[in-house]
Amino acid sequence: MIGWLGSAYPWVKAAHLIFVIFWMAGLFMLPRFFVYHQEDGLTGPQAQRWIEREAKLKNIILNPALVIVWVLGLMLAANLGLFSGQPGLGWLHAKIALVVLLSGFHGWAVGYARRLARGEARLAGRTLRMINEIPGVAVTLIVILVIVQPF
């Protein structure tokens, strides 16, 4: 697809996908860290190690990847004509809706990490294990929308 990005399009698309992978890896890891953090206890030296691990994951991988995914994704969407009313992009609207929800999950996870750092565990380990499936379901639906483009 050649739009305003021209020959940079495949490079922007590749970078977008690379940072999606980083973001998903972080979203898969952080809830798992919460489970281990809670099981090891909310106070003491082991808890402090989990707080540091969670902070590094957020600051080095998750948050930068989220920003880059959104910037590159919006560039790709604009290149496809999303903002100029190009028809036939229903799949892209659905994808963006899922990415908005996944970004909300990201925000929830960052907030839960802050609560754990304060010693507040509001969810059971089983619940956190179930929550850990949300990014997998979302990314499955997103990939299907992008590859199949059903509408």
Side-chain angles (χ1 to χ4, degrees), residues 82-83 86-99 145 151:
L82 179 69
F83 305 114
Q86 181 72 23
L89 296 177
W91 65 271
L92 184 56
H93 289 95
K95 175 197 173 192
I96 291 171
L98 287 169
V99 174
L145 286 169
F151 45 89

Side-chain angles (χ1 to χ4, degrees), residues 7-71:
S7 62
Y9 177 80
W11 292 100
V12 174
K13 192 174 184 180
H16 177 68
L17 184 56
I18 289 165
F19 283 96
V20 165
I21 292 168
F22 293 159
W23 186 35
M24 289 300 101
L27 287 178
F28 289 140
M29 288 176 64
L30 193 57
R32 235 21 232 171
F33 279 13
F34 297 160
V35 171
Y36 301 142
H37 183 165
Q38 286 184 193
E39 288 176 352
D40 283 347
L42 298 175
T43 59
Q46 193 63 10
Q48 190 56 41
R49 283 188 213 108
W50 281 113
I51 292 168
E52 290 168 10
R53 288 176 188 132
E54 291 159 5
K56 285 180 182 177
L57 182 60
K58 289 182 309 183
N59 297 330
I60 296 171
I61 297 173
L62 272 172
N63 293 338
L66 171 73
V67 171
I68 294 168
V69 163
W70 269 102
V71 169

Side-chain angles (χ1 to χ4, degrees), residues 109-126:
V110 167
Y112 197 77
R114 282 192 212 113
R115 284 187 207 97
L116 280 180
R118 290 191 307 260
E120 302 171 19
R122 296 183 181 171
L123 299 174
R126 178 172 161 75

